[in-house]
Amino acid sequence: MSFPVALNDAALAVQARLDAALAGHDDLPVVAAMRYALQGGKRLRGFLVLESARLHGIAPEAAVSAAAAIEALHAYSLVHDDLPCMDDDDLRRGLPTVHVKWDEATAVLAGDALQTLAFELLADPALGPAEVRIALVASLAKASGAEGMVLGQALDIAAESAAVPLTLPEITRLQAGKTGALIRWSAEAGAVLGQADTGPLGRYATALGLAFQIADDILDVEGDAAKAGKRLQKDAEAGKATFVSLLGLEGAKDRAKALVTEAEAALAPYGAAAGTLIEAARFVIARES
């Protein structure tokens, strides 16, 4: 199956699972904001869950709750990241951010509810025996918490008021948390579901996550805001270090390409079966949003 088809199939399956999880709750105050935050996006993380599961003989219906969980958690992170106290963004995926459409309190609560929804989804018995579900819960908690995504966000906030811009190792560490941790969890989830070695997919995802962020930095410089669905060149305006500012535009592009090569090499144990994941890595640095 080609990557575009697999990505679209994953997006449809994830959306259906999220809709089912929220069905019958439209009378609750924050559910409309949750649904709003969950719409759109590439669903790359959900795709990685389903595709890595397929590599281990796990059917989509047996993995979709994990794919929906990571998309719910990712949506929560975006809702909170857009708040005035953080990145203060008014546009996300081409639409007003949640705190702009509603208010800050609703955005905070909707984000909180999306985070807890993620762990509710990981409790789904369809994901397998209790030890597998516990492993998924524990690993996502770590990837999204003070050692993972939240760490990256905290380092990003600190960088805004730092006396000097971050160095290349420092920004690599920042992005390994802020962007990379959830991408790594997504790719490793299939191996966890299959109770297999997560090493190859972990190495693949580490390279993929960094390439994804470098591509974001490149888009911030030469992308189209209408296609990106968000305001661009904010980091440059704020004087923050990025991979482009540290490596130069061509240097950043070369580094992203090298990381894709690393990602592809990590998949060697899977042979031709990993073709769709290889396409995904190439897509990450060729995308326009």
Side-chain angles (χ1 to χ4, degrees):
M1 183 184 297
S2 71
F3 169 67
V5 172
L7 184 65
N8 184 66
D9 287 352
L12 292 174
V14 165
Q15 190 61 55
R17 184 65 184 92
L18 291 168
D19 288 344
L22 294 176
H25 298 306
D26 288 327
D27 58 324
L28 300 178
V30 300
V31 169
M34 293 170 69
R35 287 188 185 280
Y36 182 84
L38 287 168
Q39 66 183 320
K42 291 175 284 294
R43 304 296 196 198
L44 179 65
R45 292 158 187 81
F47 155 80
L48 289 171
V49 172
L50 294 177
E51 188 61 22
S52 64
R54 186 191 64 78
L55 281 182
H56 293 87
I58 308 293
E61 57 270 21
V64 70
S65 288
I70 192 62
E71 291 293 345
L73 197 134
H74 177 54
Y76 128 73
S77 75
L78 299 181
V79 171
H80 282 196
D81 202 42
D82 289 336
L83 287 167
C85 62
M86 300 233 344
D87 272 3
D88 193 16
D89 275 313
D90 55 10
L91 197 66
R92 172 69 67 181
R93 295 171 175 170
L95 296 170
T97 48
V98 174
H99 71 272
V100 170
K101 187 170 177 64
W102 279 273
D103 52 57
E104 289 183 41
T106 299
V108 170
L109 293 172
D112 290 345
L114 287 165
Q115 182 191 47
T116 55
L117 175 62
F119 292 100
E120 178 183 340
L121 286 162
L122 290 181
D124 185 352
L127 292 173
E131 59 267 28
V132 168
R133 286 176 278 147
I134 290 169
L136 289 169
V137 167
S139 57
L140 184 57
K142 188 169 184 177
S144 59
E147 296 181 50
M149 182 189 70
V150 169
L151 170 64
Q153 290 174 319
L155 293 173
D156 196 27
I157 290 171
E160 293 177 1
S161 57
V164 294
L166 297 182
T167 63
L168 187 59
E170 288 171 336
I171 199 167
T172 299
R173 179 183 180 227
L174 184 163
Q175 298 299 350
K178 186 174 180 181
T179 301
L182 296 189
I183 287 178
R184 180 165 181 153
W185 184 92
S186 303
E188 290 181 343
V192 174
L193 285 164
Q195 297 179 281
D197 179 19
T198 61
L201 285 168
R203 290 187 288 275
Y204 164 80
T206 297
L208 181 74
L210 190 53
F212 186 98
Q213 185 55 50
I214 293 174
D216 254 11
D217 287 355
I218 293 168
L219 280 172
D220 197 54
V221 172
E222 59 179 20
D224 182 330
K227 291 180 180 179
K230 60 183 179 180
R231 187 152 59 95
L232 300 180
Q233 300 182 0
K234 280 188 63 181
D235 288 342
E237 292 168 6
K240 289 170 63 175
T242 67
F243 288 104
V244 171
S245 70
L246 292 168
L247 297 172
L249 189 57
E250 291 308 312
K253 290 179 179 180
D254 289 343
R255 180 61 179 136
K257 291 175 184 175
L259 285 163
V260 168
T261 300
E262 287 181 31
E264 293 177 8
L267 295 172
Y270 299 106
T276 307
L277 286 176
I278 289 173
E279 284 188 60
R282 294 170 181 170
F283 161 80
V284 156
I285 64 168
R287 63 196 167 89
E288 296 183 324
S289 66

